[in-house]
Amino acid sequence: SLTRVAWNGTRPVVSEVARAWSGGADDQDLDDADLAAARDHALALMTPSAFPDGDHRVALDPSVVALVIDTAVRTLLTSTAARRPEVARRMAIGRRIAAPAVTVVDDPLAPRAYGGFVFDDRGERAEPVKLLDAGQMVGVLPPRRRARDVGPLVAVPSHLTVAAGTVAASALLDDGFELEGGMSVFIDPSSDRTVISAARARERVGGKRTGRLYADIELVGELGTLLAAVSAASTETDTFGLRGEPDGLARSLTVPALRTRGALRARRRPA
């Protein structure tokens, strides 16, 4: 991974590029285009005015979508989460919890998946698990342990795939904001309250970028409402590898950009 930081007045603008893969340490490298993209995002001129907080149409770039889907699945779509009464009421099998444009599958057999595996620790062959089918909840992740890992059985994703759509990413949004550079996602399993933080928001009017670019933006609301408002997915997809808390297990995602609607605001920081 590579992190670039530039100052916009008194605020740092951070951009990161990272790559994850299955294989040896020398199998992959960041190329010149990756390095240039991180530099350009960090040095992009941020609009020197207050962000217009309010309800807007938004296009979530794949890095934002990846964090949302990863957090949602680990928080709500596992056999462990299903034992919580407040989650079970909202996330029952057969219930529609997202728009028809959203289909999610956990596929440990995806080629070269960073979190993929072929056999579990019991020698049983891995199988894809469909979680959402056209917005309808059809499954949860079972507890399992990969053959190369140690520790207790846990219900975690391996390689999550969100179905691509039929609209080019550049045509997803006529008027609104493009959210780029996923930073963090918080989902309260009890209330469904969600806060999605992105590094940048680019304004679009009439299908074109206006040149206005705002740093540190949040999309807030209830996850179910945000997913129900998804009206399109891009034909292009991107793949991300993740490894982090609480289990430290590798996982990966292949996702498109998504168009939805919600409350946007400048990111709030603790005093």
Side-chain angles (χ1 to χ4, degrees), residues 88-98 132 135-138:
R89 285 194 298 269
R90 304 195 315 272
M91 315 297 287
I93 298 295
R95 184 171 183 178
R96 186 170 298 281
I97 63 173
L132 297 182
Q136 186 177 32
M137 186 167 172
V138 295

Side-chain angles (χ1 to χ4, degrees), residues 69 98-106 130-136 138 160-164 230 233 254-256 258:
I69 296 300
V102 183
T103 293
V104 181
V105 177
D106 185 54
K130 182 169 281 190
L131 304 174
L132 297 182
D133 185 7
Q136 186 177 32
V138 295
L160 292 168
T161 300
V162 178
V230 172
T254 296
V255 299
L258 296 178

Side-chain angles (χ1 to χ4, degrees), residues 22 32 42 78 87 154 156 179 200 213 266:
S22 297
D32 291 343
T78 69
V87 174
V154 289
V156 294
L179 296 192
R200 299 170 296 279
L213 180 63

Side-chain angles (χ1 to χ4, degrees), residues 240-266:
F240 301 87
L242 302 173
R243 182 188 290 272
E245 298 299 333
D247 44 65
L249 295 177
R251 56 195 186 275
S252 45
L253 303 93
T254 296
V255 299
L258 296 178
R259 182 178 67 213
T260 185
R261 189 179 192 97
L264 286 180
R265 69 188 187 193

Side-chain angles (χ1 to χ4, degrees), residues 175-198:
D175 300 302
F177 291 92
E178 299 171 328
L179 296 192
E180 303 175 344
M183 298 174 66
S184 65
V185 174
F186 168 78
I187 298 174
D188 182 353
S190 299
S191 66
D192 208 35
R193 184 68 176 172
T194 301
V195 180
I196 301 165
S197 298

